[in-house]
Amino acid sequence: MEFMGYFEYDETTQHAIDYQHFLLDSPSAFHAADLVRQRLEDAGFTPQNEKDPWDASPGGHVMLRSGAVVAWVVPETLTEDAGFRIVGAHTDSPAFRVKPSMSSTSPDGFKQIDVEVYGGMLWNSWLDRELAIAGRLLMRDGSQVLVRTGALARIPQLAIHLDRTVNPEGLKLDPQQHLHPIWSLDSDADLMEEIAKYAGVKAEDIVSHDLVLVPQQGPGTFGDRGQFFAAGQQDNLSSVHSGLTALERLAAKGMPKEGDVLVFIAFNHEEIGSETRSGAAGPLLASVLERTGAALGRDLDARHRMLAQSSCVSADAAHSVHPNYAERHDPHNRPVMGRGPIVKINANQRYATDAEGIALWLRACEAAGVASQSFVSHNAMPCGSTIGPITATGLGILTVDVGIGLLSMHSAREMSHVDDLIALSKALEAYWLGA
């Protein structure tokens, strides 16, 4: 990837290049979570198996669970009024999930991958793109293997000659009939055998799988100064990467000597409602906080006092004003990509932000020297939701929803601004430092 127009290898460029590599190495939630684990272990964090006794010794710790990852940093000195400072994000993105049947053959001999829609994807954006398969394989011996294939499939769009109404009336897609990727023709090839080759295992040793299709095209920048970033999965790997790099910088400076326990958690399954064992509506975060407090020697009342002293920044992608659909945005709250991270506000609490949360976030941005913007939905356009309200209601922790502005959210190829990527990371670092 070339960052055209940059004459110096500045901090923003360096951060964006690292983001590019992070996205390339994170084609699925399982890859993303494992990459966070790897990088934090490289930074000195101790791996934690949740089946083992809990480690809350001073320093950093990291744990995986089914496409989610959680890390916590315990200071050397923990006072009675210490709480948790939590940054939450999610590793999953809308995609096509491979069905158990895996592949079928049309009457004309086309071999097609059997998929179902995962999350609220923009279907049309996946047409005419070369697609790879990525995810995890569960082996007969109980181990798990991460895999990513090369370009293997494509969903070809119907030619305009066979659908003259597509432009004036719009494209109409049936997810069962029209979103069926082609991967072979007139062949006896077996899809699992093909995937096994990329994984370096035997197909007969694979007992189950969690596999998705992802665009093969890699991330790239564009614009007159290379300021725009194009890639899939930026909702929400933009936040995962920002939290990871903020934590890496803290570790490089030396673990904190005092203050709150720092927590970074990237859940799985946010795009389908979070109601899984590794999702935000599951017990993962509560378990980590409970076990950490107990391992620190805090009794039940003391652990509840820790929660009362705690806060959470729920970091998930936000909407930038779209210049071609300006009427879809609130006329008086108009966040634009490149002008700083966005605090997300909703009167019906689809976002968990309240006045206390806004004040907390603005302190962090001021300490980091970055600008902040506000997003409020157009009253006739209901907004989505995040892990924020789930965390706030499940644990009673002060929570604020933030994120960087995107265009083409939930497209196979989303658009962000490189300035926002480093700005969010700096703001999260300032929050963890006690701003």
Side-chain angles (χ1 to χ4, degrees), residues 147-160:
V147 64
R148 176 178 182 154
T149 72
L152 197 61
R154 196 171 193 264
I155 306 174
Q157 189 169 185
L158 185 64
I160 193 169

Side-chain angles (χ1 to χ4, degrees), residues 11 26 69 98 104 121 124 150 164 185 189 258 278 293 298 307 318-319 332 338 348 351 390 421 428:
E11 183 182 30
S26 302
V69 59
V98 180
S104 56
M121 63 200 308
N124 66 295
R164 295 291 184 179
L185 175 65
E258 58 185 7
S278 55
R298 304 295 174 95
L307 292 180
H319 297 289
H332 306 297
N348 296 310
Y351 305 129
I390 298 172
L421 299 170
L428 295 180

Side-chain angles (χ1 to χ4, degrees), residues 125-258:
S125 69
W126 289 74
L127 303 178
D128 300 331
R129 293 183 183 273
E130 288 64 54
L131 305 173
I133 294 177
R136 65 173 177 174
L137 305 173
L138 280 293
M139 309 305 293
R140 197 171 301 280
D141 63 4
S143 63
Q144 299 184 24
V145 177
L146 298 181
V147 64
R148 176 178 182 154
T149 72
L152 197 61
R154 196 171 193 264
I155 306 174
Q157 189 169 185
L158 185 64
I160 193 169
H161 313 79
L162 304 179
D163 183 8
R164 295 291 184 179
T165 65
V166 65
N167 287 329
E169 297 182 14
L171 179 65
K172 297 178 176 62
L173 296 170
D174 179 283
Q176 182 67 33
Q177 180 180 356
H178 302 137
L179 302 179
H180 205 179
I182 296 169
W183 75 279
S184 189
L185 175 65
D186 295 336
S187 168
D188 293 329
D190 181 84
L191 184 58
M192 185 58 85
E193 290 278 1
E194 190 71 21
I195 294 168
K197 292 177 186 176
Y198 282 94
V201 300
K202 296 180 179 179
E204 57 266 29
D205 292 334
I206 301 170
V207 295
S208 61
H209 57 82
D210 285 308
L211 298 171
V212 294
L213 270 65
V214 294
Q216 176 70 358
Q217 183 182 8
T221 57
F222 66 100
D224 63 318
R225 293 175 287 110
Q227 71 271 48
F228 300 121
F229 200 98
Q233 300 172 279
Q234 297 197 71
D235 177 13
N236 186 38
L237 292 187
S238 59
S239 299
V240 176
H241 181 260
S242 290
L244 169 63
T245 51
L247 205 52
E248 287 175 325
R249 288 195 301 275
L250 288 175
K253 297 172 184 175
M255 295 300 185
K257 306 297 183 184
E258 58 185 7

Side-chain angles (χ1 to χ4, degrees), residues 361-385:
W361 177 246
L362 293 180
R363 286 196 303 271
C365 289
E366 183 178 4
V370 303
S372 178
Q373 307 179 82
S374 297
F375 171 83
V376 182
S377 290
H378 189 293
N379 286 337
M381 301 284 170
C383 68
S385 192

